Amino acid sequence: FALKNITFNTRLKLISLLVGFYWLKTITAYAIDFDLGTKGLLQYILLILNPLAISIFLFSLSLYFKRKTLFLSTLLVFYLSLNMLLIANILYYREFSDFITFSTILSASKVSAGLGDSALHLLRYWDFIYILDVIAIPIFLFKNKNNLSQNLGQLRSHLMVSALAIIIFILNVTLAEIDRPQLL
C-alpha cells in the first residue's frame, strides 16, 4: 500500500485523502454496480458532485476536535460509516435492484431476514476495492498518529471546509432540481 511513503501531516491533507478515496469508490460503484441510466452532461456532473458534499461535511466535523485522538476517532467513525453504507447499498442493489432508504434502514431486521444466506452470494470478486482502504487506513492512521501535526488550523478554516460542503450540497440539489424538477 503506497501510503507508507506519503505524509499526511495536517488534518486537511488527511481529510482530503479520505474524501478522495470515498469519492473514487462511490464513482466506481456508480460505474460498475449500479444501473443508473445516466443521460446527459448534467447527470454526470451530479454523479461527480454527489459523494463530495456528505463526505466533506462529515469529515469536516472532526476538525472541530482539538485532541488528536478524538479527531482521528471521529474521522474514522464517519469514514467507516460512509463506507459501510456504500457497501450495504451495493449489496442491497444487487439483491433488490433498488437503493436503501431510511425506512429500509429502520426496518433492517426485516431486510436482513430477507437476505439471509444469500448475502455471501451477493459478493463479487471486485468488491475488495471497496474494503481495501477500510482495512488499511485505520491501521495506517493509528500507526502514524504521532506524525500528525498539532497545528490545528483556525476555526475559520474549519468553518470554510464545512461551508464548502454545504455549497456543494446546495449546488447538487439545485442541479438535480433543474435536471428533474420535483424529483425530491
Side-chain angles (χ1 to χ4, degrees):
F1 204 62
L3 289 178
K4 189 170 187 173
N5 297 327
I6 301 172
T7 59
F8 296 100
N9 57 352
T10 67
R11 293 176 180 217
L12 288 178
K13 285 182 186 178
L14 181 57
I15 286 174
S16 298
L17 171 77
L18 296 184
V19 166
F21 275 143
Y22 180 72
W23 177 83
L24 188 60
K25 288 194 306 186
T26 304
I27 296 298
T28 302
Y30 290 164
I32 295 174
D33 289 302
F34 300 133
D35 182 20
L36 299 175
T38 309
K39 296 176 188 154
L41 179 63
L42 187 56
Q43 289 185 4
Y44 283 104
I45 291 171
L46 288 168
L47 288 180
I48 290 169
L49 289 177
N50 187 285
L52 291 176
I54 188 67
S55 59
I56 293 172
F57 182 74
L58 287 177
F59 300 163
S60 75
L61 295 178
S62 64
L63 288 171
Y64 297 99
F65 294 106
K66 290 184 180 186
R67 287 188 22 226
K68 190 184 313 183
T69 307
L70 195 52
F71 161 75
L72 286 174
S73 300
T74 305
L75 185 61
L76 280 178
V77 165
F78 286 137
Y79 187 71
L80 295 174
S81 298
L82 281 178
N83 281 283
M84 285 179 15
L85 184 59
L86 176 64
I87 293 167
N89 218 353
I90 291 167
L91 295 177
Y92 188 84
Y93 189 86
R94 286 180 187 163
E95 182 67 17
F96 300 110
S97 298
D98 200 5
F99 298 101
I100 294 177
T101 62
F102 285 115
S103 61
T104 306
I105 293 171
L106 294 176
S107 61
S109 61
K110 295 176 188 173
V111 173
S112 63
L115 286 174
D117 294 331
S118 69
L120 288 178
H121 298 290
L122 295 174
L123 294 175
R124 305 288 185 262
Y125 65 89
W126 62 83
D127 288 344
F128 77 93
I129 63 173
Y130 300 125
I131 61 169
L132 183 63
D133 64 318
V134 172
I135 296 167
I137 287 176
I139 295 168
F140 172 80
L141 288 179
F142 283 107
K143 282 179 119 178
N144 295 296
K145 72 179 178 182
N146 292 332
N147 296 337
L148 190 64
S149 171
Q150 278 299 107
N151 182 5
L152 302 175
Q154 298 175 351
L155 178 61
R156 183 175 163 186
S157 66
H158 303 338
L159 290 171
M160 288 175 60
V161 174
S162 299
L164 173 66
I166 292 168
I167 290 168
I168 293 171
F169 176 76
I170 291 169
L171 177 64
N172 196 15
V173 170
T174 303
L175 291 176
E177 185 65 26
I178 290 169
D179 185 51
R180 295 183 183 176
Q182 300 180 353
L183 178 66
L184 298 178

